[in-house]
Amino acid sequence: MKTVRCYGSAFEIGCQHGQGAATEIHRALGFYESLFKRLTKLSWDEVCHEAAKFLPLLEKDWPHYVDEIKGVSRGSGVPFESILALNVRTEIAYGMFTDGCTALSWKVDSDSILAQNWDWQTEQAENLIRLRIHQDPKPSIDMITEAGIIGKIGLNSAGVGVCLNAIRAKGVSFDRLPCHLALRACLDSHSKTEATKSLQAAGVASSCHILIADSTGGMGLECSNLDIVKLPAYQNGIVIHTNHYIGEHPRVKESIDWPDSITRLDRIGKLVSTYQDGPTVAAVSEMLRDEQNYPLSICRAQTESSTSATLFCIIMKLDDKVAIVTAGRPVQPGETLILNPLA
């Protein structure tokens, strides 16, 4: 997996991202152009037109993200509108994409672990990058992202980590922060509390679950274009989530066509309950390797009818501000990376 390290202003960071991952960005654009055409019947010009509806909000309230996206455009030689479209892909698809997977936060005593298997189309695996951002005075960031997207899954130098679960529900709001930029806002925060307050104030434009954690434990935020429902940790310090709403969203119309989401939530809950000694990297790693209900298991596998599989596994030790990333399915591991935003 390619590593891209970026420093400086928002625009400079974007330029370095774009230059360093130009090949992966061009491939990712081809992947999403084809996927949007197949799932939404939108041409790429129409996709970019939809993406531009977020510009008034972003230019007014989040101009540094616009500057960074402009930098990615300049560095990669790709039109700004196309890079913007990558960063708001979840909203344009109106909940039709099925990435997100199985995530958990587990806090006991001095140990706080945040972890996830991220499942998505296998074709996009070659376009994942490790993006390292140094942006004084904001926290430094070390994350795994799809090339061209400025916010994804990882942790920062303040010990704040974030994971994502996709949820299928109708509706998008162009006056709220797009999902992937909401993930970046979390990684720009100095604490779980700050990140939570930031998203509650801004709102999130579409359906998803964002799991935020720091050394004090985790907080789940179930988001829709209409509301945000907080899912605090249970008494045992655990938050678990897959790809359907757990909280009450009375005004939201959810399309639960992921029967394995309910199965995976039940399974991860049972696995967590078997470990009485608290969270360890070894214990969480074993859970994320689980193949019960294969191929639609926690460790997901590609099938003839589905090209989605686990593309990486990440386990963050937030007290130590480090993360272990395994590329590919955890039972068939590829490259291993150690994320360290302080390095």
Side-chain angles (χ1 to χ4, degrees):
M1 188 182 298
K2 179 178 287 186
T3 295
V4 180
R5 189 188 288 261
C6 309
Y7 303 83
S9 68
F11 183 75
E12 290 168 338
I13 287 168
C15 283
Q16 294 158 25
H17 176 176
Q19 290 168 353
T23 298
E24 290 79 7
I25 289 170
H26 282 268
R27 284 198 306 244
L29 285 170
F31 167 77
Y32 278 111
E33 181 175 357
S34 174
L35 194 65
F36 273 114
K37 189 68 174 178
R38 186 169 76 249
L39 293 182
T40 70
K41 310 304 180 186
L42 294 176
S43 69
W44 191 249
D45 285 343
E46 291 171 319
V47 168
C48 291
H49 178 76
E50 287 297 305
K53 293 179 181 179
F54 281 105
L55 271 179
L57 166 77
L58 296 177
E59 290 175 335
K60 174 178 176 288
D61 295 338
W62 308 88
H64 47 298
Y65 293 159
V66 176
D67 287 345
E68 191 168 333
I69 291 169
K70 286 179 178 177
V72 176
S73 168
R74 173 73 64 85
S76 64
V78 169
F80 167 78
E81 294 80 7
S82 290
I83 301 299
L84 178 63
L86 283 180
N87 281 272
V88 302
R89 68 166 180 82
T90 302
E91 284 68 32
I92 297 172
Y94 295 93
M96 295 180 72
F97 289 167
T98 56
D99 55 325
C101 335
T102 305
L104 68 93
S105 170
W106 194 357
K107 164 69 177 175
V108 175
D109 298 327
S110 62
D111 295 316
S112 180
I113 287 182
L114 178 65
Q116 170 166 18
N117 277 355
W118 188 68
D119 308 341
W120 189 217
Q121 304 290 312
T122 55
E123 184 181 346
Q124 187 66 345
E126 64 178 357
N127 302 321
L128 292 173
I129 63 170
R130 176 188 182 184
L131 186 61
R132 309 192 68 183
I133 296 174
H134 301 273
Q135 51 176 1
D136 290 337
K138 296 177 184 176
S140 296
I141 297 169
D142 206 347
M143 65 178 165
I144 306 299
T145 188
E146 299 169 86
I149 296 180
I150 69 170
K152 197 75 176 182
I153 297 165
L155 75 165
N156 69 20
S157 56
V160 178
V162 68
C163 292
L164 172 69
N165 299 91
I167 293 176
R168 285 185 173 178
K170 292 185 177 180
V172 62
S173 176
F174 294 103
D175 60 1
R176 297 183 180 220
L177 192 59
C179 169
H180 282 86
L181 299 185
L183 294 172
R184 176 58 180 273
C186 293
L187 291 170
D188 284 341
S189 301
H190 291 85
S191 68
K192 173 186 68 179
T193 299
E194 180 185 329
T196 300
K197 288 181 178 178
S198 176
L199 296 196
Q200 286 182 306
V204 176
S206 63
S207 58
C208 63
H209 171 254
I210 295 174
L211 182 52
I212 311 165
D214 61 13
S215 62
T216 68
M219 171 66 72
L221 299 181
E222 285 191 339
C223 308
S224 77
N225 67 310
L226 298 174
D227 62 10
I228 293 179
V229 173
K230 294 169 67 175
L231 299 178
Y234 299 119
Q235 288 184 344
N236 57 4
I238 294 170
V239 183
I240 55 175
H241 214 283
T242 50
N243 304 108
H244 62 279
Y245 285 131
I246 297 172
E248 294 294 326
H249 301 259
R251 297 183 296 159
V252 179
K253 184 176 181 180
E254 181 183 8
S255 173
I256 305 180
D257 51 2
W258 275 329
D260 61 282
S261 177
I262 296 171
T263 303
R264 283 184 286 115
L265 183 67
D266 179 68
R267 179 61 177 164
I268 194 69
K270 289 180 179 177
L271 290 172
V272 168
S273 69
T274 64
Y275 289 89
Q276 302 298 323
D277 296 329
T280 65
V281 170
V284 174
S285 177
E286 188 64 27
M287 294 177 208
L288 295 178
R289 290 167 54 89
D290 188 77
E291 292 189 286
Q292 182 169 302
N293 198 39
Y294 180 94
L296 305 179
S297 43
I298 291 173
C299 183
R300 194 179 189 94
Q302 182 178 351
T303 66
E304 291 183 1
S305 60
S306 173
T307 57
S308 182
T310 297
L311 300 191
F312 71 86
C313 168
I314 183 168
I315 302 174
M316 308 177 217
K317 294 187 67 178
L318 297 175
D319 296 277
D320 298 331
K321 301 181 178 65
V322 297
I324 302 168
V325 176
T326 303
R329 299 182 66 234
V331 295
Q332 299 171 314
E335 181 184 9
T336 297
L337 303 171
I338 306 297
L339 306 191
N340 183 354
L342 293 171

